[in-house]
Amino acid sequence: MRFMIIVKASKDTEEGLLPSQELIAEMAAYHEKMAKAGILLDASGLQASAKGWRIKYSDKERTIIDGPFTEAKELVAGYTIFQVAAKEEALKWSKGYPNPAMDGKEAEIEIRQLFELEDFGPGEGVSRFRELESGKVR
């Protein structure tokens, strides 16, 4: 089972403030523990939304909306993806995640399970994704 820890953005992250060296070290130690346990798949921080954009769909039309975006609490500042055998194990690992806020301020993370190809049943699209995973693209 794969899970994603989603670190919610804050006013600080949206202003482009970088975390302290202490917080970076704490995050590094946590992710090193995950890597040594063989469960870490990916982790990274995201730049402020001012450096991004959204694409709004309406049927076949696409509209580009440049950042920044106003509601920081609904934005993502970073993520960690990991794989474990059970939800209880994911809960245990996520409870050990360091407070991502700068200077110990209030923060929030969200944990979500990722879909696996098996969740969708057989089909042409699923087969094509399996080929992508195996590196055998037609």
Side-chain angles (χ1 to χ4, degrees):
M1 303 172 88
R2 293 177 303 155
F3 290 86
M4 176 184 276
I5 297 173
I6 301 164
V7 178
K8 301 288 186 136
S10 67
K11 184 176 177 235
D12 290 341
T13 61
E14 279 301 292
E15 288 178 3
L17 298 177
L18 298 176
S20 68
Q21 289 300 314
E22 181 182 348
L23 180 54
I24 292 172
E26 209 176 326
M27 288 290 185
Y30 176 80
H31 287 92
E32 284 169 354
K33 282 174 57 176
M34 291 182 105
K36 286 178 183 172
I39 65 168
L40 181 65
L41 300 177
D42 191 19
S44 194
L46 302 175
Q47 296 273 348
S49 69
K51 294 184 178 183
W53 59 92
R54 292 179 176 168
I55 299 176
K56 183 176 181 179
Y57 294 87
S58 178
D59 194 24
K60 301 277 185 202
E61 296 290 318
R62 288 166 174 78
T63 304
I64 307 297
I65 304 161
D66 291 321
F69 306 114
T70 55
E71 285 296 321
K73 66 181 181 180
E74 296 187 14
L75 299 175
V76 177
Y79 66 91
T80 299
I81 300 174
F82 62 105
Q83 186 167 15
V84 292
K87 181 180 177 181
E88 295 74 29
E89 189 178 358
L91 179 60
K92 177 184 156 228
W93 277 100
S94 61
K95 284 168 56 175
Y97 198 87
N99 180 349
M102 296 177 209
D103 301 324
K105 294 178 184 171
E106 190 172 297
E108 182 175 276
I109 62 173
E110 179 178 333
I111 294 76
R112 304 272 298 273
Q113 185 174 348
L114 278 66
F115 276 109
E116 304 298 342
L117 288 177
E118 294 77 28
D119 296 329
F120 297 103
E124 180 190 347
V126 171
S127 296
R128 290 171 66 189
F129 272 108
R130 286 194 197 290
E131 289 176 7
L132 283 170
E133 283 183 347
S134 69
K136 298 177 186 174
V137 181
R138 298 182 215 176

